[in-house]
């Protein structure tokens, strides 16, 4: 149980570190504190603590952006750690999920290159059991720098047609002329498919600061 004050702040850092790459907000975090940590910390206090962590460059928020409506969506949003090594050390190197770590690293690299980075949302209408429904697909990152915009999906691998279709689905729904890229952990040659979606190794992306300009 959190002991209040610094104890609750410590718990919050641990919760955020465990949940990088997942959507959350102070209200959801308050529910986690109540149900798991048996703490009565309020969402307002959690919001203040998050502000403190952002002020000292421990975490940074990524807001959700409607890529079709071209407007920001309210909470929930995502938080990424500005130093992934400190995040891992904080958790005793016990939660090193490759997909979330890769996502955080890509986010940090985009920010270091001067991009503003949002989490993209693409809403589409589908038919399920004879009824029309709305489905929201997430684009991992919508990176903007001046008039340059790149939509990026971070995937560990795309070794089957089914996996490739899954990872590219949100990008294919965006009908604009901006670049669309899938970054994978595998070592692959950069290529562009017939739908104009490029695939690149995350290693090539990280090792060349101009990697996105040449695709």
């Amino acid at each position: 149980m959190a002991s209040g004050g610094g104890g609750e702040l410590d718990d919050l850092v641990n919760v955020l570190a465990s949940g990088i790459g997942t959507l959350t907000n102070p209200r959801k975090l308050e529910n986690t504190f109540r149900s798991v940590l048996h703490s009565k910390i309020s969402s307002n206090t959690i919001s203040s603590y998050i502000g403190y962590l952002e002020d000292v460059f421990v975490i940074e928020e990524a807001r959700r952006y409607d890529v079709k409506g071209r407007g920001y969506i309210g909470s929930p949003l995502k938080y990424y750690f500005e130093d992934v090594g400190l995040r891992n050390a904080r958790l005793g190197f016990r939660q090193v999920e490759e997909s979330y770590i890769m996502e955080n690293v890509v986010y940090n690299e985009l920010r270091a290159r001067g991009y503003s980075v949002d989490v993209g949302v693409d809403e589409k209408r589908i038919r399920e059991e004879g009824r029309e429904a709305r489905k929201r697909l997430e684009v991992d990152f919508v990176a903007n720098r001046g008039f340059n915009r790149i939509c990026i999906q971070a995937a560990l691998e795309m070794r089957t047609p089914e996996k490739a279709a899954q990872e590219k689905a949100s990008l294919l729904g965006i009908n604009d002329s901006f670049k669309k890229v899938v970054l994978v952990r595998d070592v692959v040659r950069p290529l562009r498919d017939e739908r104009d979606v490029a695939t690149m190794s995350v290693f090539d992306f990280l090792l060349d600061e101009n990697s996105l300009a040449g695709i």
Side-chain angles (χ1 to χ4, degrees):
M1 179 182 296
S3 58
E8 289 174 337
L9 179 57
D10 284 345
D11 289 337
L12 177 61
V13 173
N14 291 337
V15 170
L16 292 173
S18 297
I20 56 172
T22 58
L23 291 167
T24 191
N25 58 27
R27 180 65 65 183
K28 286 188 173 183
L29 292 168
E30 177 185 3
N31 292 336
T32 298
F33 269 83
R34 289 182 182 276
S35 62
V36 178
L37 302 173
H38 309 292
S39 167
K40 295 182 179 180
I41 186 174
S42 70
S43 60
N44 287 337
T45 300
I46 291 172
S47 182
S48 295
Y49 284 168
I50 288 175
Y52 300 153
L53 293 171
E54 290 179 301
D55 288 343
V56 296
F57 306 106
V58 173
I59 60 173
E60 189 168 6
E61 71 174 34
R63 294 185 293 168
R64 292 193 300 164
Y65 181 80
D66 184 339
V67 294
K68 287 183 178 177
R70 299 188 178 183
Y72 284 100
I73 304 172
S75 65
L77 39 74
K78 291 187 177 184
Y79 295 100
Y80 294 100
F81 271 67
E82 299 211 25
D83 188 314
V84 177
L86 290 179
R87 176 264 179 193
N88 293 340
R90 175 73 190 192
L91 296 176
F93 300 93
R94 293 188 300 272
Q95 298 180 34
V96 189
E97 302 91 343
E98 288 185 83
S99 59
Y100 294 136
I101 295 297
M102 176 177 161
E103 190 175 321
N104 202 143
V105 168
V106 170
Y107 175 86
N108 288 350
E109 181 64 22
L110 289 169
R111 294 289 292 124
R113 295 182 187 181
Y115 289 93
S116 62
V117 184
D118 302 311
V119 177
V121 177
D122 175 26
E123 187 173 279
K124 61 188 303 184
R125 294 181 179 272
I126 61 173
R127 294 194 67 82
E128 290 183 344
E129 299 180 354
R131 296 182 178 181
E132 190 173 86
R134 292 182 178 180
K135 182 177 182 180
R136 281 185 169 178
L137 299 177
E138 182 178 297
V139 180
D140 285 337
F141 302 118
V142 178
N144 296 280
R145 188 173 62 186
F147 294 104
N148 183 23
R149 170 178 292 175
I150 305 175
C151 296
I152 297 174
Q153 203 74 3
L156 282 181
E157 52 85 14
M158 293 196 305
R159 299 174 185 173
T160 65
E162 293 77 16
K163 182 62 174 175
Q166 176 187 340
E167 294 295 345
K168 293 180 180 181
S170 58
L171 297 176
L172 293 175
I174 305 171
N175 297 317
D176 59 34
S177 60
F178 294 110
K179 291 181 179 180
K180 302 169 183 67
V181 182
V182 181
L183 298 176
V184 295
R185 179 192 56 186
D186 293 337
V187 178
V188 297
R189 294 178 61 184
L191 58 88
R192 187 181 299 275
D193 67 16
E194 69 280 359
R195 302 288 297 274
D196 211 29
V197 176
T199 300
M200 174 185 290
S201 169
V202 69
F203 302 109
D204 290 333
F205 164 71
L206 293 172
L207 291 172
D208 180 1
E209 65 179 17
N210 297 312
S211 55
L212 296 175
I215 58 173

